[in-house]
């Protein structure tokens, strides 16, 4: 699948192929994260009304978790802008079920995450978790992430340049039932981006969780978790190898985690 790009630096003209009235945006890096500012730029090219409901602090790694044991505090931060003391999924719930209950958003955008969200790592991702929560609440939802290289500046301009055009094209017409979309932008300058590819999730780079044991200044032990990543064997049409080649990848994600092969095998054993 090949999609041509036009840099999205001006407000969307009336003749653009996709338009919606109201967009809700969130993220997992926190309301002050630079990626959220990039996402706001993208959203304002797509809709006249943009609502920002984002975590008050970094909530990376929270997946689709919601706060059932603690109250949520909602702090106004400006016009249609709110910080929530909770997870990205909490923010979507607050946005759709409280702040925008009378006028639900046409689209939910989550990101732009600092770092790609690939393969099985998406189960931990708060960015993807927010989009999955939007899917559960019946709203079109998209997660967006910008790949970067450790020690190098994040190429936010790549997501900023291409984000609105990609969303317009995939959001026009019928929306695939029962899915949210996971978009990853490659770690290349905007002019070097290759055609968009529809991809499968694949294995990704995650290969473990490391537990680091240390002591604080008072001599008490604590443990710090760190995700371990390394190249893994993956299908050619999976998002990780395609992203590495410079493509923007779009992966449809759903809730059904049933392993079809194992389902048949277990059924045969019981028979």
């Amino acid at each position: 699948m090949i999609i041509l790009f036009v840099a999205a630096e001006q407000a969307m003209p009336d003749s653009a192929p996709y338009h919606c009235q109201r967009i809700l945006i969130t993220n997992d890096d926190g309301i002050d994260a630079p990626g959220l500012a990039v996402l706001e730029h993208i959203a304002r090219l797509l809709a006249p009304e943009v609502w920002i409901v984002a975590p008050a602090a970094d909530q990376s790694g929270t997946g689709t978790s919601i706060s059932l044991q603690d109250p949520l505090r909602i702090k106004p931060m400006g016009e249609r802008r709110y910080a929530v003391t909770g997870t990205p999924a909490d923010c979507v719930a607050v946005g759709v079920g409280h702040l925008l209950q009378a006028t639900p958003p046409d689209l939910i955008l989550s990101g732009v995450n600092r770092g790609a969200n690939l393969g099985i790592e998406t189960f931990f991702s708060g960015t993807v978790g927010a989009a999955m929560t939007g899917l559960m609440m019946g709203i079109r939802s998209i997660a967006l992430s910008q790949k970067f290289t450790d020690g190098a500046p994040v190429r936010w301009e790549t997501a900023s340049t291409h984000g609105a055009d990609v969303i317009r094209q995939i959001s026009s017409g019928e929306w695939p039932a029962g899915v949210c979309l996971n978009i990853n932008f490659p770690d290349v300058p905007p002019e070097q981006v290759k055609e968009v590819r529809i991809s499968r999730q694949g294995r990704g780079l995650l290969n473990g969780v490391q537990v680091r044991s240390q002591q604080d200044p008072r001599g008490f032990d604590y443990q710090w978790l760190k995700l371990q990543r390394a190249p893994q064997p993956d299908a050619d049409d999976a998002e990780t190898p395609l992203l590495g080649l410079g493509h923007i990848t779009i992966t449809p994600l759903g809730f059904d985690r049933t392993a079809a092969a194992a389902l048949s095998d277990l059924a045969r054993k019981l028979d």
Side-chain angles (χ1 to χ4, degrees), residues 22-245:
R22 186 175 300 104
I23 293 178
L24 170 64
I25 71 172
T26 190
N27 71 348
D28 73 353
D29 292 328
I31 196 164
D32 295 320
L36 189 66
V38 173
L39 188 61
E40 182 178 359
H41 165 76
I42 292 171
R44 294 197 184 281
L45 295 172
L46 298 168
E49 187 176 319
V50 176
W51 290 72
I52 302 164
V53 184
D58 193 325
Q59 293 287 326
S60 298
T62 54
T64 54
S65 65
I66 58 173
S67 300
L68 299 178
Q69 306 300 324
D70 299 301
L72 300 175
R73 310 289 182 183
I74 305 172
K75 180 180 180 181
M77 303 288 287
E79 184 179 8
R80 298 176 184 150
R81 185 181 185 92
Y82 299 87
V84 177
T85 58
T87 67
D90 291 334
C91 292
V92 172
V94 167
V96 175
H98 177 59
L99 296 171
L100 290 166
Q101 185 175 16
T103 54
D106 305 300
L107 180 68
I108 294 173
L109 301 178
S110 178
V112 175
N113 190 67
R114 182 179 180 272
N117 274 304
L118 304 168
I120 61 175
E121 192 169 341
T122 56
F123 293 123
F124 294 111
S125 167
T127 303
V128 175
M132 297 295 286
T133 305
L135 167 63
M136 185 269 295
M137 300 186 79
I139 308 293
R140 291 184 177 194
S141 300
I142 303 174
L144 302 96
S145 302
Q146 176 63 58
K147 182 183 178 183
F148 75 99
T149 302
D150 287 338
V154 181
R155 298 184 192 272
W156 296 116
E157 67 276 12
T158 299
S160 179
T161 298
H162 295 298
D165 285 323
V166 174
I167 292 171
R168 286 189 191 116
Q169 294 178 66
I170 62 176
S171 299
S172 298
E174 292 294 324
W175 185 268
V179 303
C180 66
L181 301 179
N182 182 34
I183 300 178
N184 282 283
F185 296 93
D187 183 22
V188 298
E191 65 275 10
Q192 294 181 18
V193 169
K194 296 182 180 179
E195 66 269 18
V196 171
R197 292 290 182 89
I198 304 302
S199 56
R200 65 177 64 251
Q201 177 180 286
R203 177 67 175 80
L205 300 173
L206 184 66
N207 68 346
V209 181
Q210 182 182 19
V211 181
R212 295 183 176 181
S213 298
Q214 299 181 16
Q215 283 191 339
D216 65 22
R218 299 180 63 190
F220 294 102
D221 294 335
Y222 69 91
Q223 281 67 43
W224 194 281
L225 301 183
K226 177 179 174 59
L227 298 181
Q228 295 178 306
R229 299 179 179 91
Q232 308 287 328
D234 228 333
D236 291 341
D237 62 345
E239 54 200 3
T240 303
L242 289 172
L243 190 69
L245 293 173

